[in-house]
Amino acid sequence: MSWIEEEFKDLKFKDARLTRRFYQTASILADSPLGTVNQSISSWKDKKGAYRLFSNPEFDHDQVMSVHADQTKLRMREEKVVLSIHDTTYLSYTGKKSIKGLGNIGGKAKNGTEYDGDGYIFHAALAVTEDGLPLG
């Protein structure tokens, strides 16, 4: 069993084909984690499959993250000390009117007027051991 199958063993979509596509896509992307989907997947068939997976209404990102969070908690329980490394990034999409749900990420400008920077504020955390081993 691959580490991806182990990590997401509790992930079950209604359609078994979707679950298989998730494992296949995740395995390919794990081999090239620094690239975009388009850069990391060389086969046209696999690229098309990945984009179909992500746009499938039955694909639930929250479900994927929940299963990963549960596995992370299990790994954390095995450690005496766990460090939580945090980072906040501002993703600006100002001018991209076609993207729905953007919020003001700029707050007030220096002159006191509202800044209309549109985007998302992304906050991530990584749990690691004292030796720096990533747990999730």
Side-chain angles (χ1 to χ4, degrees), residues 18 21-22 25-26 29 36-38 41 46-61 64:
L18 196 60
R21 172 53 72 183
F22 171 79
T25 301
L29 293 174
T36 63
V37 171
N38 211 28
I41 302 176
D46 290 332
K47 280 182 194 183
K48 189 173 182 179
Y51 286 117
R52 281 186 174 167
L53 169 72
F54 300 141
S55 65
N56 188 315
E58 298 298 320
F59 179 75
D60 185 354
H61 175 270
V64 173

Side-chain angles (χ1 to χ4, degrees), residues 62-118:
D62 291 334
Q63 182 183 2
V64 173
M65 292 306 295
S66 177
V67 169
H68 173 60
D70 290 345
Q71 291 296 326
T72 300
K73 290 174 200 171
L74 289 175
R75 287 187 288 274
M76 290 171 65
R77 286 190 192 123
E78 300 295 319
E79 301 297 323
K80 185 175 179 180
V81 174
V82 175
L83 305 173
S84 181
I85 302 168
H86 295 260
D87 179 54
T88 300
T89 301
Y90 290 75
L91 305 170
S92 177
Y93 296 100
T94 300
K96 305 285 185 189
K97 301 296 181 197
S98 63
I99 301 175
K100 305 287 184 227
L102 298 176
N104 181 343
I105 61 170
K108 299 260 185 204
K110 287 183 182 178
N111 66 4
T113 62
E114 285 292 323
Y115 175 71
D116 66 347
D118 297 318

